[in-house]
Amino acid sequence: MDDLRVNGKYRLKRKLGRGGFGCVYQATNLETKEDVAIKLESIEYNPSILESEADIYKLLAGGPGIPQVHWFGEECEYRAMVFDLLGPSLEDLFNFCDRKFSLKTVLMLADQLISRLQYIHSKGIIHRDIKPENFLVGDGRHGNRVYVTDLGLSTQYRAAITDSDTARQWNLPLIGTARFASINAHSGVEQSRHDDVESLGYLLVYFIRGSLPWQGLKATGPVQKDKLILEKKKATSVEELCSGLPEEFACYFHHVRSLRFGDEPGYRYARKMFRNLFVLKRFEHDNVFDWTVLKFLIAQNGSCASKTI
């Protein structure tokens, strides 16, 4: 595998990670000497998740926080997608910061992530797998920009014929990650734009609290675990979920849960609400995140030498 060249000019260097549908490698463009990322999927996998992901990246191309795909095709027994090499994921950075982000960092992330979802939804796509591992920061000078990745579970959403939830499909399998999935996704209800936005809300609470109420539940297997998570989500009120947090977080969830299948989420409403909170707290919008400060302190003091991302 290490000697594999993709499209004749991309040489694999090292494995970066493995997901449910393939492996991601760092590679070098032998012509430009620039590093890229390559996701590989066995050609035996049918239908191809990677081909669908490449098509969605093509549809979203040029948008803020959307990695550029440089090539897609088959190489030996693999399908390969060559795209921009990015930095660590938000989950990596969360662990680096001892699994707690400050309110300032969470609000700056919220501003970018709401914008990312608004753009993706404007192209008729829903992500369906919102989780910290699927958001990566840029490399080098783009280190303060958050990118959306892993679009393999994304799909086009159906515009509702009416505002009624009767337009939805039911009895569907859970698509996404149970910890951050919307209640509808857990319940087998067809997902729409507001399911992504609900998942994003769980992500923000996770970052500021360090965990969610349905983590650590004891179960005999994945089916029972998903059931217990759904029961806990339903039993946890918005007020309980957001207890101790600024009221804007509860307002966010009340808005999201008021939306029907075909309703467009209030992206501008949510961003303005969190921006007003940012100003109220007298934070400076300097793109200095918690991990930026921590890396600077480590570099200055030479301490925690083993603490890397």
Side-chain angles (χ1 to χ4, degrees):
M1 177 67 73
D2 292 337
D3 295 328
L4 177 64
R5 294 191 182 186
V6 172
N7 195 27
K9 64 179 181 179
Y10 299 105
R11 184 173 63 198
L12 271 61
K13 294 174 63 175
R14 64 186 182 97
K15 184 185 288 188
L16 297 176
R18 181 179 182 85
F21 307 106
C23 295
V24 180
Y25 288 81
Q26 181 176 345
T28 300
N29 184 326
L30 298 175
E31 295 177 359
T32 66
K33 308 305 179 185
E34 294 179 338
D35 283 344
V36 295
I38 298 181
K39 183 180 285 190
L40 298 178
E41 173 194 72
S42 171
I43 58 174
E44 296 180 358
Y45 200 94
N46 189 40
S48 172
I49 297 294
L50 191 58
E51 184 174 8
S52 174
E53 184 175 13
D55 287 342
I56 290 176
Y57 273 122
K58 183 177 180 180
L59 182 63
L60 299 176
I66 303 298
Q68 180 182 355
V69 173
H70 303 283
W71 186 80
F72 174 81
E74 292 188 1
E75 190 67 56
C76 299
E77 67 267 33
Y78 298 98
R79 299 184 188 97
M81 182 177 72
V82 182
F83 59 105
D84 289 341
L85 180 67
L86 299 171
S89 73
L90 292 184
E91 181 69 9
D92 293 330
L93 294 167
F94 191 50
N95 288 324
F96 180 67
C97 295
D98 296 323
R99 299 192 61 77
K100 198 73 174 288
F101 283 158
S102 66
L103 178 61
K104 176 188 175 184
T105 284
V106 171
L107 292 176
M108 289 195 297
L109 288 175
D111 196 68
Q112 289 198 46
L113 296 177
I114 293 169
S115 294
R116 299 293 179 267
L117 290 185
Q118 182 177 13
Y119 174 74
I120 291 171
H121 295 167
S122 75
K123 297 296 184 179
I125 300 295
I126 52 175
H127 192 287
R128 299 200 300 180
D129 195 17
I130 302 298
K131 60 181 180 180
E133 293 89 346
N134 287 347
F135 294 103
L136 277 61
V137 297
D139 200 21
R141 62 190 178 90
H142 298 299
N144 293 321
R145 179 178 296 175
V146 182
Y147 290 79
V148 184
T149 64
D150 286 318
L151 299 171
L153 295 180
S154 300
T155 188
Q156 291 183 318
Y157 71 83
R158 296 188 306 115
I161 299 174
T162 69
D163 286 335
S164 172
D165 280 346
T166 57
R168 310 185 97 149
Q169 296 180 19
W170 299 78
N171 300 317
L172 300 173
L174 172 62
I175 295 176
T177 301
R179 181 181 297 179
F180 302 102
S182 69
I183 290 176
N184 281 327
H186 271 290
S187 304
V189 183
E190 181 182 1
Q191 296 185 52
S192 189
R193 293 171 291 186
H194 69 80
D195 295 284
D196 276 353
V197 179
E198 181 180 337
S199 292
L200 177 57
Y202 297 139
L203 186 72
L204 299 177
V205 173
Y206 169 79
F207 281 150
I208 200 167
R209 282 201 182 284
S211 65
L212 291 165
W214 40 86
Q215 288 182 237
L217 299 175
K218 303 298 181 183
T220 57
V223 174
Q224 187 192 32
K225 187 172 184 179
D226 288 351
K227 181 180 179 181
L228 291 176
I229 290 174
L230 172 58
E231 290 174 354
K232 184 64 175 177
K233 281 183 183 176
K234 285 183 173 180
T236 303
S237 67
V238 168
E239 286 69 28
E240 182 182 354
L241 178 64
C242 301
S243 176
L245 303 182
E247 64 180 359
E248 286 78 3
F249 288 88
C251 291
Y252 178 94
F253 277 103
H254 283 305
H255 166 69
V256 170
R257 292 185 177 180
S258 72
L259 297 171
R260 294 170 294 183
F261 178 57
D263 290 345
E264 180 180 17
Y267 311 103
R268 292 181 62 184
Y269 160 77
R271 288 183 72 197
K272 182 177 181 180
M273 181 173 60
F274 286 135
R275 284 181 173 183
N276 288 343
L277 175 60
F278 194 91
V279 173
L280 182 66
K281 294 294 184 179
R282 299 183 182 276
F283 295 139
E284 184 179 354
H285 210 303
D286 50 11
N287 282 323
V288 176
F289 295 88
D290 292 339
W291 57 85
T292 315
V293 176
L294 185 55
K295 285 190 285 186
F296 175 78
L297 291 175
I298 291 173
Q300 288 291 305
N301 300 329
S303 60
C304 304
S306 62
K307 193 177 182 67
T308 58
I309 53 173

